[in-house]
């Protein structure tokens, strides 16, 4: 659907995206998702998913270990706060550098294999990092407790300029602007917009086309003597740096880094986000990230009481029956709903929510031309054969 | 599932609670909050309600404990608002609460799921603070989570009343001005257990530690080593085990040949159930080493855990913050109230959380405001009684609660499924007290109070 | 026999009568590669057809399409065997209908003995020659019955592949490159076996790089070029028509 | 020396569990070519078969508990004990062995339903999509279990008679410090038995021959008139049974919770990869090998030499194997190699 690209079309996409992101605190109000922490999470995990999509969506390489870079980004950022300054720019810089460095190493090794072996390699690296962060690397990671700021942290750069006025732990800031609350969100939002723009550029560039070429026809490319590995590594590192950036922003808005950010199920979550929203589409991952974070934070807190409240328009008897039926799916059962939705999407809607929307839109729009059956299987975003 | 519906969803309570939480959820903070007018974050001002945040593990390894905590909080809210039989409101002294809410406002609450993960716990606490406008966050059943949420509350500017957290660090090097802990800590467990172990097992033991690899485990291990070496025991080895390891057999087999005659399990929750069960399966308790019967010690006990480990706990010593069989009036009133509501006795986690909620409400009442700095002043150095632990004090220097500590033993002949622990000694407060600058607690600083504006 | 329940209505040919086996305008794809681009031919009972053409002409693909292997995928056209619609079948249904492919690579199954390879063919009805008859015909296989199939020599593997086909009740036998990769002496041996089969009256299609050898065996020949039929006529004529051979077979 | 002997034993029973899970996973992968991320969930379901059997056997009557005076408390007396007294208690005591018998048909049905309902529609899709949909299924299954059984582990004890430990050292005339829990020994023997049964089934029956043939050359088997799809449906059921009984038997060693499937999943994939994808023998060998390696890595002597090695040994082996020999220790050339 994004076939006919033109500069104006991209401009429109960007403008709509910018408007949507910056006005999020307003239009998310009716669904109760307008508070800073959740807005920040939407933006941060949006960045994470956009980056992941550059690898998985474009090349088809399914990494089950990307949360490692998220974790490394967070640790690097918190250490920067502890050792240097509470200004977030060095923290972000270090986070992206470190995650980039690690993704070069892990990517170089993992990309020696493809398919399921690649997935398992990344999975194994993720578990190793997680287990080490939890055990022997405790001096760096503070283990299960998570790396936190302390009053006694040196903060060398900060302390060079201001001489210790001990008024509690200073907050993270961008040259004095506090990075919590809405200012934190708007900072993340700007970063998200930039990341989205970069992703758009990558999708449109010859580099992006090469990557999709690798996905759709690696064998043919090999015959032509083309070596895909440098391109794959580049995609891997870019997505690793996106993850590191996201990890840094997590620490920026909330200066704590925990090892559970690196667990393989955390990597699984970004896979869920990308697939849910629409693999290989530009906006899909952001939508997927939003949906999952919304589920996790709002949907999950629908307790039995709220449920009754919401169903109060039903007649007496119906109320408890309906509540009984849907209560396993809401509140603490939100994972169940998520799992079911995810399965339905993988089975029936391989293009994710985005393709669902466009399908829906096209049924209401008068049809101009009927797509050719053969061509439709070729251009399918996830490269699947739809068949019996 | 049906159990929950019939018991928890009594229609009256549901509608009432639903209406208020619904209102709290639907009010968009973005438009209503005026940051300049308020003197402190989430000032309820002239609103009819004040909201508390109950942040407990509803999923994950500590979900049972979390569920019990939530029950206790709900009971506490009822009692503060003047519903039910009043529970410990009848025994708490001194008391400023009158059963008409706090400062004339009805108490409502929001709940969150910590998943026993620092990240998730902070996210849900943030939701409570930023979206639901709570003045206080309480709960948790892991020290890692408690420390993480405590520092968040400090940064945000609300009060944190820690739930079940036993690490020395919570009120030691990670202490915060806005956080308070009613639960006892690892040092206290060690100090209380030392003399009991000496009396029962003598002075010539060789102890092997298996320790959960995080803040609580480390401080627990250090406390137990200090206390056992003090009575002449040796330490054969200390081995860290990953949290949630599940199968501990590979850590237990080396114990058999280590020459140790005592195994100290610095584990909690699911880990303790598994490691203890497996240690018994490996025949440790049937062994004789150095002419002595091999023995196991579980420094931190809870009834829920003991129930989980079944017969394996019989005769094993440990310590606990509170037990439902205590005969004092406060404990009895609470057990009666809780039992009538839910059909089983409360756990120590439930007790701690119930007390925390009441203490906070009472402090606000005394302070005449919800402003954290004023509430903190009321809680620091506060002495009270009638809450199940005898005379109790919140020490001003580190916000740790000081009171008697219970040494318990797995009961040989339980009379009911809840009657798994027996209290062997109530260790007086003086014996478990320490100086605020004790080496195990040094390195922290309460810092200033934070009102969030 | 499967005639009892025809899978589809009998098609009407122009002449009004049904050929024994007929391929009508089939189009087959490997993923997006369009390989067989509308191939049609008929075979009469007991006839042997040589399917010829250069490398990549679509011979093997046509055979695999007839046997209903998973690839190539037929996206158009029809195949009928004694009136049954083969194009609507799955691989195992085609095999039960009497189509038996001896694939190019022999496909002797690793991990199975010679005998197990043959027994495997006799699990599903209808079965052809019993084990004794096969061993009688192929004494070399009888000697090596307990040996792993894949440890046989190339010629023996080809024998086993043919033997395995005979273990099923064959209506039409598809031989894909039976001489490929075999030493000339072995080729002669296989050739003898195939001649015997001819005498026994098996209807067959044979694909073979060695067109001359195939044509010696065949009654008729069909030549494919880039997925379409360019010649359909007697085998003898191809042997005689040098121009034809040169243009399409490069011999 | 004694310590090493114990670690070997420890590695063997752990290895037995790994081998059983990996065996089922390999059966499914080798025949159907499906990468099943829900296989761990099958292991977990097996364990919950034991939990269910136990809770069915202990369906109880509520009796007012007079020992609690503060409030109305009830204790639960199983009907089996009320009706049959001592015999009832014995039956409850044998919940785990009984659950094995129950788990076999139940897991077979679950496996067949899973293959029919979901897996078969994914044969032709990419491995990535298979991973995704089965990952989703695993989440759904574990959440259903959580909704019904709660989030906490549920202890399911072994029968009383084997709940203690065996004094192996004394039997073998070695030191009396070598004691080992009966149930773990039983588990090891049980895993060997199941493995032997699976191999016997594959080697000695016609059906097994078809399966072996299908794993090596699926196309040719189909071309010989065999409906391999239908046969493989049963193989999927078999894989589910193997995982299920492995899970049911594991419950006395580790009280099951809803998350145990995910915990074992990563491990079992690692085992399969190390053994060689599609190689049944490889799965078994790698299971025991990794069990032993993990057990030895946990020895204090080794840990002090290389800190943290016990945490990563398994993954480290997997990484090395994939890089150096992608087909695994016993895998055949060409299977899943690019």
């Amino acid at each position: 659907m994004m076939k006919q690209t033109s500069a104006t079309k991209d401009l429109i996409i960007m403008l709509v995206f910018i408007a949507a992101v910056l006005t999020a605190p307003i239009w998310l109000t009716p669904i109760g998702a307008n508070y800073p922490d959740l807005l920040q999470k939407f933006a941060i995990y949006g960045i994470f998913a956009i980056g992941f999509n550059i690898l998985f969506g474009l090349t088809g390489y399914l990494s089950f270990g990307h949360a490692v870079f998220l974790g490394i980004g967070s640790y690097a950022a918190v250490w920067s706060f502890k050792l240097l300054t509470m200004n977030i720019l060095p923290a972000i810089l270090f986070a992206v550098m470190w995650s980039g460095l690690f993704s070069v190493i892990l990517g170089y090794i993992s990309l020696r294999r493809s398919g399921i072996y690649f997935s398992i390699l990344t999975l194994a690296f993720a578990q190793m990092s997680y287990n080490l962060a939890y055990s022997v690397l405790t001096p760096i990671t503070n283990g299960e407790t998570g790396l936190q700021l302390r009053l006694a942290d040196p903060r060398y750069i900060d302390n060079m300029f201001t001489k210790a006025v001990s008024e509690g732990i200073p907050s993270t800031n961008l040259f004095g602007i506090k990075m919590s609350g809405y200012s934190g969100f708007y900072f993340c939002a700007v970063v998200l917009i930039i990341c989205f723009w970069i992703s758009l550029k990558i999708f449109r560039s010859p580099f992006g086309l090469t990557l999709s070429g690798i996905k759709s026809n690696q064998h043919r490319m090999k015959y032509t003597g083309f070596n895909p590995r440098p391109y794959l590594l580049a995609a891997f590192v870019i997505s690793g740096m996106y993850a590191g950036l996201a990890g840094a922003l997590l620490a920026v808005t909330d200066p704590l880094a925990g090892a559970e950010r690196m667990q393989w199920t955390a990597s699984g979550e970004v896979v869920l986000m990308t697939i849910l929203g629409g693999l290989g589409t530009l906006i899909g991952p952001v939508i997927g990230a939003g949906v999952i974070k919304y589920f996790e934070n709002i949907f999950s807190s629908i307790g039995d009481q709220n449920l009754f409240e919401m169903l109060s328009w039903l007649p007496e008897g119906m109320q408890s029956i309906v509540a009984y039926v849907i209560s396993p799916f809401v509140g603490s059962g939100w994972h169940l709903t998520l799992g079911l939705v995810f399965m339905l999407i993988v089975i029936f809607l391989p293009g994710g929510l985005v393709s669902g929307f466009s399908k829906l839109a096209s049924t209401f729009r008068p049809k101009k031309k009927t797509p050719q059956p053969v061509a439709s299987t070729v251009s399918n975003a996830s490269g699947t054969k739809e068949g019996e | 599932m049906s159990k929950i519906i019939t018991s928890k969803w009594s229609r009256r309570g549901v509608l009432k609670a639903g209406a208020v939480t619904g209102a709290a959820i639907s009010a968009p903070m973005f438009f209503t909050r005026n940051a300049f007018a308020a003197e402190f974050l989430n000032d309820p001002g002239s609103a009819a309600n004040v909201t508390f945040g109950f942040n407990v593990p509803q999923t994950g390894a500590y979900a049972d404990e979390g569920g019990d905590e939530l029950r206790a909080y709900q009971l506490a809210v009822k009692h503060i608002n003047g519903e039910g039989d009043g529970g410990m409101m009848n025994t708490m002294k001194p008391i400023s609460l009158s059963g008409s809410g706090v400062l004339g406002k009805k108490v409502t609450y929001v709940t969150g799921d910590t998943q026993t993960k620092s990240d998730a716990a902070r996210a849900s606490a943030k939701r409570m603070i930023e979206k639901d406008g709570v003045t206080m966050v309480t709960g948790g059943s892991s020290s890692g989570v408690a420390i993480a949420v405590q520092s968040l509350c400090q940064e945000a500017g609300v009060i944190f009343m820690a739930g079940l957290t036993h690490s020395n660090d919570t009120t030691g090097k990670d202490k915060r001005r806005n956080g308070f802990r009613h639960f006892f800590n690892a040092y206290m467990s060690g100090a209380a257990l030392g003399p009991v172990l000496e009396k029962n097992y003598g002075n010539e033991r060789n102890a092997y530690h298996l320790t959960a690899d995080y803040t609580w485990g480390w401080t627990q291990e250090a406390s137990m080593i200090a206390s056992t070496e003090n009575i002449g025991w040796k330490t054969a080895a200390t081995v860290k085990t990953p949290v949630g390891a599940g199968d501990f057999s590979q850590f237990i087999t080396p114990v058999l040949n280590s020459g140790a005659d005592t195994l100290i399990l610095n584990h909690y929750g699911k880990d303790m159930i598994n490691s203890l069960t497996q240690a018994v399966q490996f025949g440790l308790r049937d062994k004789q080493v150095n002419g002595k019967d091999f023995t196991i010690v579980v420094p931190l006990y809870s009834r829920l855990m003991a129930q989980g480990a079944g017969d394996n706990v019989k005769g094993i010593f440990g310590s606990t913050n509170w037990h439902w069989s205590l005969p004092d009036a406060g404990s009895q009133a609470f057990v009666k109230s809780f039992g009538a509501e839910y059909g089983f006795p409360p756990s120590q986690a439930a007790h701690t959380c119930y007390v925390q909620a009441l203490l906070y409400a009472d402090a606000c009442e005394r302070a005449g405001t919800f402003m954290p700095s004023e509430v903190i002043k009321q809680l620091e150095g506060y002495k009270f009684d009638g809450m199940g632990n005898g005379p109790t004090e919140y020490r001003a220097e580190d916000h740790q609660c000081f009171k008697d500590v219970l040494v318990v033993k797995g009961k040989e002949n339980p009379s009911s499924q809840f009657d798994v622990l027996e209290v062997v000694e109530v260790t007086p407060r003086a014996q478990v007290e320490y100086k605020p600058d004790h080496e195990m607690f040094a390195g922290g600083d309460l810092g200033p109070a934070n009102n969030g504006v | 026999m499967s005639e009892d329940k025809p899978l589809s209505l009998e098609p009407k040919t122009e002449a009004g009568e049904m050929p024994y086996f007929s391929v009508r305008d089939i189009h087959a794809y490997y993923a997006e590669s369009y390989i067989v681009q509308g191939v049609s031919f008929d075979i009469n009972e007991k006839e042997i057809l040589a399917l010829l053409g250069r490398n990549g002409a679509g011979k093997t693909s046509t055979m695999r399409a007839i046997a209903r292997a998973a690839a190539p995928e037929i996206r158009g056209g029809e195949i009928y065997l004694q009136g049954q619609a083969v194009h609507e079948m799955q691989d195992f249904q085609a095999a039960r209908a009497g189509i038996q492919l001896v694939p190019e690579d022999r496909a002797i199954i690793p991990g199975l003995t010679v005998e197990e390879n043959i027994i495997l063919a006799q699990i599903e009805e209808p079965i052809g020659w019993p084990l004794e008859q096969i061993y009688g015909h192929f004494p070399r296989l009888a000697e090596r019955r307990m040996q792993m199939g894949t440890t046989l020599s190339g010629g023996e593997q080809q024998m086993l592949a043919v033997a395995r086909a005979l273990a099923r009740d064959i209506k039409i036998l598809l031989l894909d490159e039976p001489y490929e990769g075999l030493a000339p002496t072995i080729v002669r041996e296989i050739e003898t076996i195939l001649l015997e089969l001819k005498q026994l009256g098996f209807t067959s299609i044979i694909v073979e790089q060695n067109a001359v050898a195939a044509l010696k065996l065949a009654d008729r020949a069909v030549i494919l070029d880039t997925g379409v039929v360019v010649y359909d006529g007697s085998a003898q004529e191809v042997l005689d028509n040098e121009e034809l051979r040169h243009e399409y077979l490069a011999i | 020396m004694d310590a090493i002997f114990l670690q070997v034993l420890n590695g063997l029973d752990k290895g037995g569990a790994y081998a059983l899970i990996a065996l089922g996973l390999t059966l499914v992968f080798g025949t159907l070519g499906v990468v099943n991320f829900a296989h761990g969930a099958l292991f977990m379901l097996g364990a919950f078969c034991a939990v269910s059997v136990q809770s069915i056997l202990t369906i109880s009557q509520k009796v007012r508990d007079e020992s609690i005076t503060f409030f109305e408390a009830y204790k639960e007396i199983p009907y089996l004990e009320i009706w049959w007294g001592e015999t009832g208690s014995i039956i409850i005591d044998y919940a785990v062995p009984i659950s094995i018998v129950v788990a076999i048909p139940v897991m077979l049905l679950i496996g067949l339903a899973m293959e029919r309902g979901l897996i078969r529609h994914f044969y032709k899709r990419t491995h990535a999509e298979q991973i995704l949909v089965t990952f989703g299924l695993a989440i759904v299954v574990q959440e259903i279990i959580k909704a019904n059984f709660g989030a906490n582990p549920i202890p399911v004890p072994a029968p009383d008679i084997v709940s203690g430990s065996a004094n192996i050292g004394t039997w073998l005339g070695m030191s009396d410090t070598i004691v080992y829990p009966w149930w773990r020994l039983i588990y090891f023997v049980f895993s060997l038995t199941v493995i032997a049964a699976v191999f016997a089934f594959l080697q000695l029956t016609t059906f097994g021959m078809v399966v072996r043939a299908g794993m090596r050359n699926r196309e040719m088997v189909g071309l010989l008139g065999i409906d391999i799809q239908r046969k493989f449906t049963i193989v999927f059921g078999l894989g589910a049974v193997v995982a299920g009984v492995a899970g049911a038997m594991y419950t006395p060693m580790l009280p099951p919770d809803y998350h145990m499937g995910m915990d074992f999943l990563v491990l079992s994939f690692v085992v399969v990869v190390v053994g060689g994808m599609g190689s049944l023998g490889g799965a078994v060998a790698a299971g025991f090998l990794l069990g032993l390696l993990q057990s030895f890595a946990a020895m204090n002597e080794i840990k002090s030499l290389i800190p943290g090695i016990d945490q990563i040994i398994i993954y480290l082996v997997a990484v090395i194997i994939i890089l150096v020999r992608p087909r695994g220790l016993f895998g055949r050339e060409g299977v899943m190699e690019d």
Side-chain angles (χ1 to χ4, degrees), chain A residues 69 99-109 233 236-237:
Chain A
F69 307 122
S99 55
L101 183 69
F102 271 83
S103 54
V104 168
I105 298 168
L106 294 197
Y108 181 77
I109 300 172
L233 185 61
F236 192 94
V237 173

Side-chain angles (χ1 to χ4, degrees), chain A residues 25-26 29 31-38 40-41 45 130 134-136 138 142-146 148-152 166-169 178 180-182 186 250 253-258 260-261 263 265 296-298 300-301 303-309 312 316 319-320 323-324 327-328 332 334-335, chain B residues 1-2 4-5 8-9 11 13-15 17-22 25-26 28-31 33 58-59 62 74 109 111-113 115-120 122-124 126-128 130-131 142-145 147-149 151-152 155 169 173-174 176 213-216 218 242-243 443 445-448 452:
Chain A
I26 294 166
T29 302
I31 57 169
N34 65 328
Y35 63 98
D37 181 53
L38 187 55
Q40 291 159 6
K41 293 259 155 59
Y45 282 92
Y130 168 72
Y134 244 140
S135 56
V136 285
T138 296
N142 203 22
E144 204 237 30
T145 320
Q148 296 180 24
L149 304 180
R150 287 184 207 291
L151 268 177
S166 175
E167 272 293 306
I169 298 171
K178 268 175 89 171
S180 52
Y182 285 100
Y186 281 108
L250 282 176
T253 54
D254 184 2
L256 169 114
E260 66 257 23
R261 268 176 208 170
Q263 208 179 0
T265 40
E296 186 181 304
N297 288 282
I298 304 291
S300 68
S301 65
D304 298 341
Q305 298 168 342
N306 308 107
L307 193 58
F308 255 87
E309 180 68 17
S312 56
E316 281 281 301
Q319 204 178 341
S320 44
Y324 178 76
S327 67
S332 58
W334 68 274
H335 268 116
Chain B
M1 284 277 78
S2 60
I4 292 172
I5 289 195
K8 261 191 349 205
W9 286 356
R11 267 197 59 78
V14 161
L15 288 180
V20 284
T21 44
I25 278 175
S26 57
M29 294 301 299
F30 183 60
F31 294 110
R33 193 171 66 200
Q58 294 171 17
T59 53
Y62 297 138
Q74 284 162 341
Y109 61 89
T111 66
D113 183 3
Q115 303 171 29
T116 329
K117 291 178 186 165
S118 305
D119 263 2
R122 278 172 80 113
S124 103
K126 276 187 153 183
R127 172 176 60 79
M128 294 171 171
E130 294 179 354
K131 173 166 181 282
S142 148
S143 290
V145 167
I147 289 170
V149 177
S151 68
L152 172 81
E155 286 151 28
D169 293 346
K173 67 180 167 64
D174 289 311
R176 294 286 190 275
D213 194 2
Y214 75 109
T215 169
W216 170 69
W218 305 330
V243 181
D445 185 352
L446 284 173

Side-chain angles (χ1 to χ4, degrees), chain D residues 21-232:
Chain D
I21 305 173
L23 184 66
L25 195 58
T26 302
L27 265 178
V28 170
F29 176 77
T31 51
L32 305 165
V34 169
V35 181
N36 182 14
F37 258 50
H39 193 73
L42 292 171
F43 179 76
M44 185 265 293
L45 283 176
F48 275 88
C49 277
V51 173
S52 306
V53 166
Q54 180 181 251
S55 56
I56 289 169
L57 292 179
T58 52
I59 290 175
S60 304
Q61 190 177 31
K62 280 195 169 179
V63 179
R64 177 84 170 84
D65 187 344
E66 302 294 342
S67 70
I68 294 171
T69 48
F70 296 121
F71 56 92
E72 280 185 30
Y74 294 89
K75 58 183 163 200
E76 304 190 336
I77 303 173
Y79 282 108
L80 279 182
E81 284 179 11
I82 296 172
W83 299 333
W84 297 336
E86 191 70 2
T87 324
S89 311
I90 292 172
I91 294 176
I92 293 171
D93 189 35
Y94 279 83
V96 175
I98 293 170
S99 72
I100 298 293
V101 183
V102 176
I104 292 172
V106 169
M107 292 308 296
L108 189 63
L109 282 177
I110 289 174
L112 297 184
M114 221 167 113
E115 200 274 345
R116 284 286 165 105
L118 181 73
I119 305 289
R120 78 164 30 177
H121 305 291
F122 277 77
Y123 290 146
K124 287 186 180 153
R125 299 235 200 146
T126 61
H127 281 304
E129 283 184 295
Q130 293 169 353
I131 291 176
L132 294 173
V133 80
T134 50
F135 182 48
L137 181 68
I139 293 175
V140 169
V141 169
Q142 79 173 29
E143 291 303 314
I144 290 173
I145 291 294
K146 192 177 89 185
N148 286 296
F149 293 91
N152 269 19
I154 301 168
V156 185
D160 223 15
I161 188 168
V162 286
S163 65
S165 46
N167 215 330
I168 299 179
T170 326
W171 300 347
L172 300 177
M174 292 162 78
S175 136
D176 66 350
T177 55
I178 302 178
V179 290
Y180 208 72
W182 273 110
W183 191 260
R184 286 173 185 264
L185 292 173
I186 291 172
Y187 196 91
F188 173 58
V189 174
F190 173 81
S191 62
L192 288 185
T193 314
V194 173
I195 291 164
V198 169
F199 276 85
F201 174 76
L202 291 175
Q203 287 299 330
L204 304 178
T205 65
T206 311
F207 187 94
M209 186 182 81
V210 174
V211 173
R212 277 187 293 138
M215 287 176 79
R216 304 305 289 269
N217 190 337
R218 184 176 180 163
E219 174 170 74
M220 194 60 223
V221 175
L223 291 173
L224 291 173
I226 296 167
D227 184 356
I228 196 79
Q229 190 100 337
R230 176 178 295 229
K231 307 269 177 190
F232 282 175

Side-chain angles (χ1 to χ4, degrees), chain C residues 167-224:
Chain C
R168 299 203 52 74
D169 186 16
I170 304 173
K171 295 254 163 44
I172 179 162
L173 179 62
L174 311 177
L175 293 161
D176 197 354
E177 307 271 10
Y179 306 141
E180 193 198 16
L182 300 180
T185 46
I186 315 287
V187 168
R188 273 191 289 281
E189 212 170 325
I190 303 293
E191 215 165 4
T192 320
I193 293 168
L194 296 184
L195 275 168
E196 276 171 37
L197 294 185
K198 181 175 180 174
Q199 274 143 26
L200 289 166
F202 283 101
T203 314
S204 319
I205 304 178
I206 177 166
V207 163
E208 184 51 59
Q209 276 301 312
N210 183 349
V212 180
L215 289 166
K216 275 200 282 184
L217 208 62
D219 305 308
R220 257 178 61 222
V222 165
I223 299 178
L224 298 182

